[in-house]
């Protein structure tokens, strides 16, 4: 689980070493994507953002709605301005500071549906994707995020890791889609 959204994990080396790796890859003509986890945050209250203000709903939903049972993690509350600012600035920061060429958004099936896709078998019927289980708040966040990424870096590549087959995932935001380049 992610506990620090603005720092590379130690397995990538120091921040300077990660920047050097990205620069070296670019020098070899290699596109570098970052695995971005905005579907959930660590429930750890000691070193993560969960309960940062002493409540269970600072950046996440409070109560059971804010808990992902399969991952034992916290679910972001995407309609809070603080959450939008935090996550969108996170996307911008990785592009500008480390020069990533785009992102693979991890676990977005969990974001797309209130059920998090748990126990669902998607067959292609639109009612499965756009019915009452659709989490419109996170849909809007994903659209905003893709729009921001492609505004900052038009050549950026975004990949949405979705196992449900959401129909409009790779349609442009201008057409009502989520704006991902690939699934």
């Amino acid at each position: 689980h992610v506990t620090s959204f603005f720092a590379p994990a130690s397995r990538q080396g120091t921040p300077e070493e990660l920047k050097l790796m990205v620069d070296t890859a670019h020098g070899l003509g290699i596109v570098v994507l970052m695995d971005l986890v905005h579907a959930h945050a660590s429930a750890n209250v000691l070193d993560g953002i969960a309960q940062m203000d002493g409540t269970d709903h600072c950046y996440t939903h409070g109560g059971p709605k804010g808990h992902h049972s399969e991952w034992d993690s916290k679910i972001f509350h995407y309609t809070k301005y603080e959450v939008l600012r935090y996550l969108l600035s996170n996307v911008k920061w990785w592009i500008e500071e480390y020069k990533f060429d785009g992102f693979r958004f991890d676990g977005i099936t969990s974001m797309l549906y209130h059920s998090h896709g748990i126990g669902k078998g998607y067959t292609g019927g639109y009612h499965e994707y756009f019915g009452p289980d659709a989490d419109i708040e996170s849909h809007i966040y994903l659209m905003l995020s893709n729009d921001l990424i492609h505004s900052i870096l038009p050549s950026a590549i975004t990949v949405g890791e979705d196992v449900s087959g959401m129909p409009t995932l790779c349609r442009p935001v201008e057409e009502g889609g989520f704006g991902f380049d690939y699934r």
Side-chain angles (χ1 to χ4, degrees), residues 47-135:
D47 62 0
I49 62 171
Q51 297 186 22
M52 185 150 61
D53 69 346
T55 71
D56 71 343
H57 58 275
C58 179
Y59 285 99
T60 62
H61 289 283
K65 185 175 182 179
H67 181 75
H68 194 297
S69 61
E70 296 288 311
W71 296 339
D72 190 28
S73 59
K74 301 296 287 179
I75 305 298
F76 284 110
H77 193 316
Y78 299 103
T79 59
K80 287 186 170 185
Y81 288 117
E82 296 83 4
V83 173
L84 290 175
R85 287 185 187 116
Y86 185 77
L87 295 176
L88 293 173
S89 68
N90 181 243
V91 165
K92 183 178 181 187
W93 185 78
W94 285 108
I95 291 172
E96 292 180 346
E97 185 69 23
Y98 287 87
K99 310 300 183 209
F100 281 102
D101 300 302
F103 303 96
R104 174 195 169 270
F105 281 71
D106 180 72
I108 67 164
T109 303
S110 175
M111 297 173 70
L112 296 174
Y113 310 101
H114 293 292
S115 66
H116 309 298
I118 298 170
K120 300 280 184 170
Y122 297 92
T123 61
Y126 284 126
H127 68 285
E128 298 170 323
Y129 305 107
F130 302 110
D133 193 31
D135 188 338

Side-chain angles (χ1 to χ4, degrees), residues 145-159:
S145 187
N146 273 299
D147 191 56
L148 175 67
I149 292 165
H150 289 101
S151 294
I152 295 169
L153 184 64
S155 63
I157 297 170
T158 60
V159 180

